[in-house]
Amino acid sequence: MQPYLDKLQELLAAGIPFVSVTLVEAIGSTPQDSGSKMLVTADGLCFGTVGGGRVEAKAIDQAKTMLASPAPKTLFVNWNLQNDVKMTCGGAVKLFFESYHHAPWNIVIFGAGHIAQALVRTLLNLDCRLTSLDTRKEWLDKLPDSPKLNKIYTDNLAAQVANLPQDASVVLMTMGHSTDVPILIEALRRGGFPYLGVIGSAAKRAQLKKGILQAEIPEASFAGVHCPMGLDIGTNHPYEIALSIASQLLQIRDSTAKQFPQ
């Protein structure tokens, strides 16, 4: 049991979506004892077994289906080995499926400066998957190492927008207006992100708007951009700004979940 728990904790810490499958009861000619467990990711079997052969193959397919669709986070099945699994031997298996990180909360932060340093450290305490991008390796190196954090060093931040998950909440806090605008333009051209925010004041918002219009982005697309970013709380201390932004991210995430429940 301990190796199973160790692997489960490893997947949880890394934020990797997976399904735990437990053989609850085995009746008749089943190839594995009750209580057997396995872990399945989108790539297939990751750890353990519930008997191998057709039973396990069908269970893996079921787990992968749960990960690929808005299926329930838990599922109980009672399969007849002849009728449901197409095996010649008689018997039945009862399996319990439980998915983890089924819909991971992806947050992408462009920039690794002082506010980003505080924001990353704040968000690492939550159940999310973080990506931090910057053109300055020395600032990325200052971020904590975590299996929940992916650090990307690149000399073209705007080009990275094409690689982002569509469900990502996107936060722009690079070195300034001139580096934020190209990223914002690409994010608006792609569209569909549940959250798109740029750090700055109302004056900066006006400057961003000029850049967006010059790039022939429809003004309506810019209306949903959060700038200033964060809730109207706290002071200008980096961690208070980080808390206000994290709070707004939570607020938008939860309101979106209520609109589109899984």
Side-chain angles (χ1 to χ4, degrees), residues 14-64:
I16 298 173
F18 69 96
V19 175
S20 173
V21 186
T22 303
L23 179 58
V24 178
E25 186 178 4
I27 302 171
S29 302
T30 53
Q32 193 73 9
D33 294 333
S34 299
S36 300
K37 296 178 180 291
M38 70 176 180
L39 300 172
V40 180
T41 68
D43 294 328
L45 179 63
C46 178
F47 179 87
T49 181
V50 292
R54 292 187 178 181
V55 170
E56 187 159 291
K58 185 175 177 67
I60 290 172
D61 286 343
Q62 180 64 65
K64 291 169 74 173

Side-chain angles (χ1 to χ4, degrees), residues 16-213:
I16 298 173
F18 69 96
V19 175
S20 173
V21 186
T22 303
L23 179 58
V24 178
E25 186 178 4
I27 302 171
S29 302
T30 53
Q32 193 73 9
D33 294 333
S34 299
S36 300
K37 296 178 180 291
M38 70 176 180
L39 300 172
V40 180
T41 68
D43 294 328
L45 179 63
C46 178
F47 179 87
T49 181
V50 292
R54 292 187 178 181
V55 170
E56 187 159 291
K58 185 175 177 67
I60 290 172
D61 286 343
Q62 180 64 65
K64 291 169 74 173
T65 297
M66 290 178 67
L67 291 172
S69 63
K73 291 190 176 181
T74 60
L75 178 67
F76 179 79
V77 300
N78 184 359
W79 290 337
N80 180 283
L81 296 185
Q82 290 182 322
N83 297 335
D84 300 318
V85 190
K86 310 305 180 186
M87 294 174 64
T88 56
C89 58
V93 291
K94 296 179 181 180
L95 298 166
F96 179 68
F97 297 76
E98 185 173 15
S99 65
Y100 296 79
H101 296 307
H102 180 221
W105 185 24
N106 289 303
I107 303 174
V108 178
I109 303 171
F110 285 87
H114 294 293
I115 307 300
Q117 294 282 329
L119 182 59
V120 166
R121 285 169 170 80
T122 300
L123 292 172
L124 281 175
N125 294 286
L126 305 180
D127 186 10
C128 61
R129 195 184 299 176
L130 297 174
T131 300
S132 177
L133 306 95
D134 207 304
T135 58
R136 302 164 296 174
K137 186 176 183 300
E138 65 274 18
W139 281 94
L140 287 170
D141 290 343
K142 292 179 181 181
L143 291 169
D145 293 322
S146 169
K148 295 164 64 176
L149 172 62
N150 181 29
K151 307 175 190 180
I152 297 178
Y153 169 60
T154 176
D155 59 0
N156 190 340
L157 292 170
Q160 296 297 320
V161 173
N163 302 323
L164 303 184
Q166 190 60 65
D167 64 352
S169 295
V170 181
V171 176
L172 309 186
M173 44 178 60
T174 65
M175 290 180 286
H177 171 80
S178 61
T179 48
D180 283 334
V181 169
I183 306 167
L184 181 59
I185 289 172
E186 292 305 313
L188 289 174
R189 281 176 175 162
R190 179 172 169 182
F193 295 113
Y195 180 96
L196 179 57
V198 186
I199 196 166
S201 62
K204 180 173 180 178
R205 182 180 182 89
Q207 290 295 317
L208 290 172
K209 185 176 179 179
K210 288 181 181 179
I212 294 304
L213 294 177

